[in-house]
Amino acid sequence: MARDALVAWLAEALRVARFKDYCPNGLQVEGRQEIRHIVTGVTASAALLEAAIKAGADTVLVHHGWFWRNEDPRVIGTRRRRLGLALAADLNLLAYHLPLDAHPVWGNNAQLARVLGLLPDAAPGEGGALPRTAGVDGLIWLGSAPGLVTLGDLAERVESRLDRPPLVIGDPGLRLGSIAWCTGAAQGMMQEAVDAGATVYITGEASEPTAHLARETGCGFVGAGHHATERYGVRALGDAVAEQFGVRVTFIDIDNPV
């Protein structure tokens, strides 16, 4: 398939233009024009690039790409190594950050809900087609956890399905009500989740103020891991690309404890 056709399709499907992001979304490094094998992964690390090259891929599709706002722009150190790997192998690098977080089907929030058995609330007036959200760009999803009763029950399911023990702040006996979630490093959005009526907030990471906010608001907090909560969106996106274009797509998970 043609690279430009894929880039155009992804831009439209993910509604890239509506997001004001911290990095460029789309084609970040130009490689071969003809695409035969795509490797997907969470982050465009050297390890993922090396694995893609070993697998014979010509394109790498990730959630966390390069060229972040306020980053040192010099091509030195790890940036030089990563860029050198991509250029030497003539790899295309495509990255989608907030557009992939927010997508109602392939997005990180949608896929985390699927994995954890969360049920998104329906947005008013949308006939249940879209989830009820809060926060900037609708990045916080709101819903419930059918079949679970307490924060402790939820924590056990998170550990079982994400294969890692979460950080939990709050009484394990706290009754679940409205649950809010936003994958990755969205601990700074917890107040918005509380304001939206959440009794429990799930994200990837925590900061020092997170514990105080959870204790003072009575909202339970589950830090399930940045990488662990974002393994599923890019894989779902890759599956959609394979179905749409009939191209070979391979997901490679480079483990990350954070």
Side-chain angles (χ1 to χ4, degrees):
M1 63 170 297
R3 179 193 63 224
D4 293 347
L6 174 61
V7 173
W9 183 81
L10 286 168
E12 181 177 356
L14 295 174
R15 302 178 65 193
V16 166
R18 84 176 182 90
F19 293 91
K20 187 176 180 181
D21 213 333
Y22 316 103
C23 62
N25 288 291
L27 183 64
Q28 293 191 340
V29 177
E30 184 178 290
R32 279 164 271 182
Q33 175 61 243
E34 185 178 8
I35 295 177
R36 295 178 179 272
H37 183 193
I38 301 171
V39 159
T40 60
V42 177
T43 300
S45 63
L48 181 65
L49 296 176
E50 288 167 345
I53 293 167
K54 185 177 180 180
D58 45 57
T59 301
V60 174
L61 172 62
V62 298
H63 176 50
H64 300 138
W66 300 341
F67 313 116
W68 298 89
R69 185 190 305 164
N70 299 324
E71 211 175 42
D72 185 342
R74 294 177 296 168
V75 184
I76 60 176
T78 56
R79 174 175 284 183
R80 182 186 186 280
R81 182 184 175 204
R82 293 173 179 178
L83 188 56
L85 285 167
L87 293 176
D90 203 16
L91 284 176
N92 295 295
L93 175 63
L94 295 103
Y96 298 90
H97 185 231
L98 296 183
L100 183 56
D101 285 322
H103 193 274
V105 178
W106 311 319
N108 287 318
N109 283 337
Q111 290 298 310
L112 184 65
R114 177 186 63 79
V115 171
L116 295 183
L118 304 177
L119 178 64
D121 293 339
E126 295 292 345
L130 292 176
R132 185 166 70 94
T133 63
V136 176
D137 289 326
L139 292 173
I140 300 171
W141 283 34
L142 300 160
S144 59
L148 302 182
V149 177
T150 67
L151 177 60
D153 295 336
L154 178 61
E156 289 180 6
R157 177 174 288 182
V158 169
E159 180 170 3
S160 171
R161 298 194 180 180
L162 300 189
D163 296 321
R164 56 169 291 163
L167 169 66
V168 181
I169 302 171
D171 181 355
L174 176 70
R175 305 281 292 190
L176 299 177
S178 177
I179 298 175
W181 64 96
C182 183
T183 66
Q187 62 270 40
M189 297 183 182
M190 184 173 179
Q191 183 63 60
E192 293 169 275
V194 172
D195 292 343
T199 58
V200 174
Y201 180 55
I202 307 170
T203 187
E205 300 183 29
S207 298
E208 194 276 342
T210 306
H212 302 295
L213 182 60
R215 291 166 182 162
E216 292 171 24
T217 61
C219 180
F221 175 85
V222 179
H226 192 141
H227 179 86
T229 58
E230 296 193 327
R231 284 182 299 209
Y232 307 100
V234 72
R235 186 168 190 169
L237 180 60
D239 291 343
V241 168
E243 182 177 353
Q244 176 72 21
F245 294 99
V247 68
R248 180 183 176 195
V249 179
T250 304
F251 174 72
I252 297 179
D253 189 23
I254 304 296
D255 188 45
N256 186 332
V258 175

